[in-house]
Amino acid sequence: GNPGQPMPAAQRSIETELRLGLPRHELPRLLRHDALVAARTGTLRGSRLVTTYFDTADAMLGVAGVALRLRRERGRWRQSVKGPAAAPAAAALVARDEFEWPLPAARLDPALHAATPWPELLCAAAAAPGFGPRFVTDVRRRSVALALAGGTSALLCLDTGSILDAGSDREREIAEIELELVAGDPVELLRFAARLAADLPLPANLP
């Protein structure tokens, strides 16, 4: 931050989500699935997300379960810190503390990390030799709101794109589903995912 300038307030949340890989050619079949058609409460919204993840050469943050990223979406930049995964509410679900700030430009602001529970770790990482971008994801995200059983609400995101390792030309494809809890019972995310998995090649570790 700049001296004399007020720090932007952190948006803190507990992110509870389920991520599932799905072959890209199966996405049209997912969108037609009866369970999704019945649960969706609006139309698909599209955006492009370009996200750079930072760490030290020896993955100081990653080893601690902390993620630091810079993301551009619709021309705006945001800095985020995610904490280690908490004990899962149910199998395959991940719950993490997340802190997020708007930024005026595409540059990390280390002063913001004081608002998180991990300021010493983040400061040590930023000062370490070799700290910098580790990889970049460039995805097209399509998302739709869901109304699930028991008053539970969620967001379904379909991400397709690529991961590029920093400092190399090695690029890998991304094709995955993210189910994020908005309110209600996280078990309903698993039940919904299991209905999809009955007809689609999703991971077998669902109830």
Side-chain angles (χ1 to χ4, degrees):
N2 295 324
Q5 292 292 320
M7 292 290 177
Q11 295 178 1
R12 182 178 184 179
S13 61
I14 302 293
E15 180 186 64
T16 301
E17 66 180 14
L18 178 64
R19 286 179 177 267
L20 302 167
L22 183 67
R24 189 187 294 252
H25 69 268
E26 293 283 4
L27 292 177
R29 198 154 67 96
L30 166 69
L31 293 173
R32 296 192 301 267
H33 195 281
D34 289 346
L36 177 55
V37 172
R40 59 189 290 174
T41 61
T43 57
L44 280 171
R45 296 187 59 200
S47 61
R48 181 186 178 195
L49 307 179
V50 180
T51 309
T52 303
Y53 291 82
F54 293 81
D55 206 339
T56 62
D58 60 354
M60 183 187 298
L61 298 180
V63 168
V66 173
L68 171 61
R69 75 184 188 195
L70 193 61
R71 170 172 284 177
R72 187 183 78 220
E73 181 179 11
R74 297 189 174 95
R76 296 182 180 181
W77 293 94
R78 300 189 73 81
Q79 179 172 325
S80 300
V81 174
K82 292 188 181 186
L93 285 173
V94 175
R96 305 177 74 179
D97 247 332
E98 182 176 20
F99 296 78
E100 192 171 58
W101 305 264
L103 292 177
R107 187 174 62 253
L108 288 176
D109 185 349
L112 299 175
H113 300 156
T116 77
W118 317 282
E120 295 87 359
L121 173 67
L122 290 159
C123 182
F131 174 80
R134 300 268 68 91
F135 60 93
V136 178
T137 63
D138 187 346
V139 302
R140 178 191 179 207
R141 168 165 288 183
R142 289 170 288 171
S143 57
V144 65
L146 304 177
L148 305 179
T152 295
S153 56
L155 189 66
L156 172 71
C157 300
L158 312 177
D159 290 345
T160 54
S162 62
I163 302 176
L164 179 65
D165 291 338
S168 82
D169 294 328
R170 190 173 66 169
E171 190 172 276
R172 291 163 285 156
E173 184 178 279
I174 299 173
E176 68 177 14
I177 305 169
E178 178 182 304
L179 283 167
E180 183 172 346
L181 183 70
V182 176
D185 186 353
V187 173
E188 293 300 336
L189 291 185
L190 285 174
R191 291 176 176 159
F192 177 74
R195 288 195 289 274
L196 299 178
D199 302 305
L200 295 163
L202 293 170
N205 60 342
L206 294 169

